[in-house]
């Protein structure tokens, strides 16, 4: 088995969307209900990749999973924080792909000058919660009954992870292209 972590490109959108589609249709992991068109998904990817890393993991040439960072909030003062997302195709579970993707993603975010990472997890989701806690993410809050999907009300639990020492005058974060 040959695993490769690399930056995603827009040509990967169809394969990434194929993975994500199962999560949309079959789980409450994402609150998205309708599968986006390939064009809108490519636009989403492009807007994220203009500043943040979006990574894929290939196993023997097939995209097995992906992870990316995105804006935590729209206001300027949030720019030193990022939200993380990771999705792994079911047939590639238990190969440490999520770990490999997060290791690389977090290293890149440190280089960009990001200080705090957030993960929003629809709960209960013991697998994702344990995964994030294994990285040192700490539970910081819970929104009760914030979403409704598949006939039930869902909670979202927020986790955070500090990846750099806070300073009084932080340097401006760099885009992924700048590093």
């Amino acid at each position: 088995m040959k695993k490769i972590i690399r930056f995603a490109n827009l040509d990967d959108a169809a394969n990434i969307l194929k993975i994500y589609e199962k999560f949309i249709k079959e789980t409450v992991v994402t609150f998205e209900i309708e599968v986006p068109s390939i064009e809108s998904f490519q636009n989403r990817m492009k807007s994220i990749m203009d500043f943040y890393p979006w990574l894929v993991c290939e196993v023997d040439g097939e995209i097995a999973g992906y992870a990316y960072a995105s804006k935590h909030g729209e206001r300027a003062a949030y720019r030193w924080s990022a939200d993380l997302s990771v999705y792994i195709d079911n047939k590639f579970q238990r190969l440490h792909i999520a770990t490999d993707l997060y290791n690389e993603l977090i290293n890149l975010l440190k280089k960009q000058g990001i200080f705090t990472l957030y993960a929003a997890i629809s709960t209960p989701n013991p697998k994702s919660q344990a995964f994030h806690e294994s990285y040192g993410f700490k539970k910081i809050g819970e929104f009760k009954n914030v979403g409704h999907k598949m006939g039930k009300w869902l909670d979202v639990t927020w986790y955070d992870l500090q990846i750099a020492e806070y300073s009084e005058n932080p340097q401006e974060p760099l885009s992924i292209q700048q590093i």
Side-chain angles (χ1 to χ4, degrees), residues 46-128:
K46 182 173 179 350
S47 71
I48 290 170
M49 294 186 308
D50 283 345
F51 192 84
Y52 296 97
W54 188 312
L55 304 174
V56 295
C57 177
E58 289 184 355
V59 174
D60 297 330
E62 181 179 353
I63 294 179
Y66 64 96
Y68 63 91
S70 59
K71 279 184 182 182
H72 176 66
E74 290 299 317
R75 306 290 186 264
Y78 287 121
R79 66 188 177 274
W80 291 278
S81 299
D83 293 344
L84 300 188
S85 296
V86 62
Y87 293 91
I88 308 302
D89 188 313
N90 277 340
K91 70 181 181 181
F92 293 102
Q93 294 290 325
R94 304 216 182 274
L95 298 177
H96 305 288
I97 292 168
T99 301
D100 294 342
L101 285 164
Y102 258 31
N103 286 341
E104 187 61 32
L105 186 61
I106 291 169
N107 286 333
L108 290 167
L109 291 165
K110 286 178 183 177
K111 291 176 184 175
Q112 284 185 261
I114 302 299
F115 287 77
T116 310
L117 305 177
Y118 294 96
I121 302 170
S122 59
T123 50
N125 185 340
K127 186 176 172 182
S128 184

Side-chain angles (χ1 to χ4, degrees), residues 17 19 21 25-26 52 64 87 92 94 116 119 152:
L17 188 54
I19 293 169
E21 180 177 2
K25 290 181 173 180
E26 300 171 13
Y52 296 97
Y87 293 91
F92 293 102
R94 304 216 182 274
T116 310
K152 58 185 166 185

